[in-house]
Amino acid sequence: MKDKFNIGVVGYSAQNFNEIIAKALIIKAFDQIQDKYQDKEFVVVSGLTDVGIPALAYREATRRGWETIGVACEKAKEYKLYSVDETKIVGKEWGDESETFISMIDIFVKIGGGKQSQTEKEKAESKDIPVIDFNLASTEKAG
């Protein structure tokens, strides 16, 4: 039995971004992780919603036959949710789930994202969790 290896994925949810580039970055990150940790069974942990980067990460995980876990606050229930293997709801406001999320992961993948993604990246780094961080421009038009 292989040890489980939890890949935390964060990034844009509400913002517009280039999905083709984002998918390529997710595949690149997952391939790098698979190559480096070959003796593991992979699980993708993200924000539960079926939008943005979490949705793309979950779809790629499912395509690879990997387990999926959603960690989010109560507000996530206002959005379309991905059908994950396991769900953890922590707190009421965005960010309330961050500590739980960080405590569950073995590696952190950030693809674009806003303030919460950056804060979670810093928390991961402070706990010596390896980080893969890809810049991805938001295509959101200003006002």
Side-chain angles (χ1 to χ4, degrees):
M1 183 88 185
K2 293 181 176 182
D3 288 335
K4 293 203 174 176
F5 192 81
N6 289 356
I7 303 167
V9 180
V10 302
Y12 296 124
S13 288
Q15 299 92 331
N16 292 318
F17 57 89
N18 184 317
E19 278 198 27
I20 293 167
I21 294 171
K23 283 179 192 174
L25 293 173
I26 288 166
I27 290 168
K28 181 177 180 180
F30 287 2
D31 286 349
Q32 284 177 5
I33 292 164
Q34 224 172 354
D35 288 347
K36 186 168 184 178
Y37 304 96
Q38 294 178 4
D39 59 336
K40 303 292 184 189
E41 184 179 317
F42 300 102
V43 180
V44 168
V45 184
S46 196
L48 185 58
T49 60
D50 194 14
V51 294
I53 297 298
L56 297 176
Y58 285 142
R59 282 182 175 72
E60 181 60 21
T62 299
R63 191 185 71 74
R64 292 175 185 237
W66 296 355
E67 278 182 60
T68 53
I69 299 174
V71 181
C73 68
E74 288 285 339
K75 281 193 174 173
K77 293 178 178 176
E78 298 169 15
Y79 296 83
K80 185 175 181 222
L81 303 180
Y82 193 84
S83 180
V84 294
D85 297 304
E86 184 183 332
T87 302
K88 288 192 184 298
I89 301 294
V90 181
K92 297 200 179 322
E93 298 296 325
W94 299 116
D96 288 354
E97 74 284 1
S98 291
E99 290 296 333
T100 300
F101 169 72
I102 296 297
S103 74
M104 293 175 64
I105 62 172
D106 299 298
I107 193 164
F108 184 94
V109 177
K110 179 179 168 293
I111 299 175
K115 285 186 186 133
Q116 184 171 338
S117 295
Q118 184 61 33
T119 299
E120 288 174 347
K121 174 189 162 193
E122 290 164 7
K123 286 179 182 178
E125 288 173 333
S126 76
K127 296 186 183 313
D128 294 324
I129 295 169
V131 170
I132 296 173
D133 185 358
F134 290 118
N135 284 324
L136 178 66
S138 167
T139 55
E140 199 82 346
K141 300 282 186 267

